[in-house]
């Protein structure tokens, strides 16, 4: 008779190692910028073996995409306030807090870097975009089900997210609540 398989404990060693690796990536991007560190640097910073990172993520690009998506999902989950205007305002405010926070600029640079890397980086970026696109689309679909007129996901990116990203990347001004609400209002009034 075989031994029963041991169940993984949520929040155990695996979760702790994942969090340490993610923080190491974020710190290295902040300090050195994308492309200026290796899996070995991440492993040393996180206190784990390189092989642990390769076994879990497979490549640096996949790890970077996982860091970006995990951060987005934790810091900026898709809201469900009961109205599209409320959902969009809440989501935009969450994104604004995230990209103006201590690691925000590093994460924006990571997203840009994944867009300009080789095939593995493009695949990792596509995974992040596809998952975030599915989440955004679910918010828009809920609005349609409630009888609201909803823009498409690309319009949300063009009219709400992109202006915020540009402001942060180029230091063009703060993301005040009035500015963010104005972006949402213009999108919904169009």
């Amino acid at each position: 008779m075989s031994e029963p398989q041991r169940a993984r404990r949520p929040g155990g060693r695996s979760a702790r190692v994942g969090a340490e690796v993610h923080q190491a990536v974020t710190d290295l991007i902040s300090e050195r910028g994308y492309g200026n560190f290796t899996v070995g640097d991440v492993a040393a910073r996180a206190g784990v073996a390189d092989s642990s990172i390769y076994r879990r993520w497979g490549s640096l690009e996949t790890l970077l995409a996982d860091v970006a998506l995990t951060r987005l999902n934790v810091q900026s989950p898709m809201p469900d306030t009961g109205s599209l205007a409320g959902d969009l305002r809440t989501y935009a405010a969450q994104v604004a807090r995230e990209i103006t926070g201590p690691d925000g600029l590093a994460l924006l640079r990571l997203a840009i870097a994944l867009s300009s890397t080789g095939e593995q980086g493009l695949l990792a970026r596509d995974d992040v975009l596809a998952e975030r696109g599915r989440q955004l689309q679910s918010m828009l679909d809920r609005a349609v089900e409630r009888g609201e007129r909803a823009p498409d996901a690309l319009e949300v990116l063009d009219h709400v997210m992109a202006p915020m990203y540009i402001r942060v990347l180029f230091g063009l001004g703060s993301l005040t609540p009035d500015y963010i609400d104005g972006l949402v209002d213009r999108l919904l009034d169009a």
Side-chain angles (χ1 to χ4, degrees), residues 78-93 135-153 155-157 160-161 180-181 183-190:
M78 289 297 161
D80 187 359
T81 65
S83 75
L84 180 58
D87 289 351
L88 288 172
R89 282 189 182 90
T90 301
Y91 177 59
Q135 294 170 356
L136 180 57
Q137 191 60 54
S138 72
M139 179 175 61
L140 298 172
D141 291 344
R142 279 194 314 267
V144 170
E145 289 169 6
R146 289 189 300 258
E148 297 178 88
R149 186 187 67 77
D152 65 37
E155 289 176 301
V156 175
L157 294 175
V160 179
M161 299 299 120
I180 295 165
D181 287 347
L183 293 173
V184 172
D185 291 342
R186 283 189 292 281
L187 171 65
L188 294 177
D189 289 343

Side-chain angles (χ1 to χ4, degrees), residues 6-156:
R6 290 181 8 168
R8 284 186 171 232
R9 294 176 313 186
R13 183 179 187 283
S14 180
R16 188 184 79 250
V17 167
E20 289 168 356
V21 169
H22 278 217
Q23 189 59 52
V25 167
T26 303
D27 292 346
L28 287 166
I29 291 169
S30 293
E31 293 168 15
R32 300 182 189 177
Y34 176 80
N36 297 315
F37 59 89
T38 65
V39 167
D41 295 327
V42 174
R45 176 71 62 102
V48 301
D50 297 22
S51 59
S52 295
I53 292 175
Y54 284 114
R55 187 171 39 256
R56 187 165 179 175
W57 287 281
S59 70
L60 182 59
E61 288 80 9
T62 302
L63 169 59
L64 295 174
D66 185 51
V67 168
L69 186 58
T70 300
R71 186 68 178 258
L72 282 171
N73 288 338
V74 168
Q75 299 294 326
S76 303
M78 289 297 161
D80 187 359
T81 65
S83 75
L84 180 58
D87 289 351
L88 288 172
R89 282 189 182 90
T90 301
Y91 177 59
Q94 290 170 345
V95 170
R97 275 191 303 278
E98 175 63 13
I99 64 177
T100 59
D103 301 324
L105 190 55
L107 290 170
L108 277 177
R109 289 183 175 143
L110 170 59
I112 291 167
L114 285 172
S115 296
S116 61
T117 59
E119 186 177 331
Q120 276 192 321
L122 289 174
L123 291 173
R125 183 221 45 204
D126 289 349
D127 287 346
V128 171
L129 291 176
E131 176 59 25
R132 207 53 176 169
R134 280 190 293 276
Q135 294 170 356
L136 180 57
Q137 191 60 54
S138 72
M139 179 175 61
L140 298 172
D141 291 344
R142 279 194 314 267
V144 170
E145 289 169 6
R146 289 189 300 258
E148 297 178 88
R149 186 187 67 77
D152 65 37
L154 191 55
E155 289 176 301
V156 175

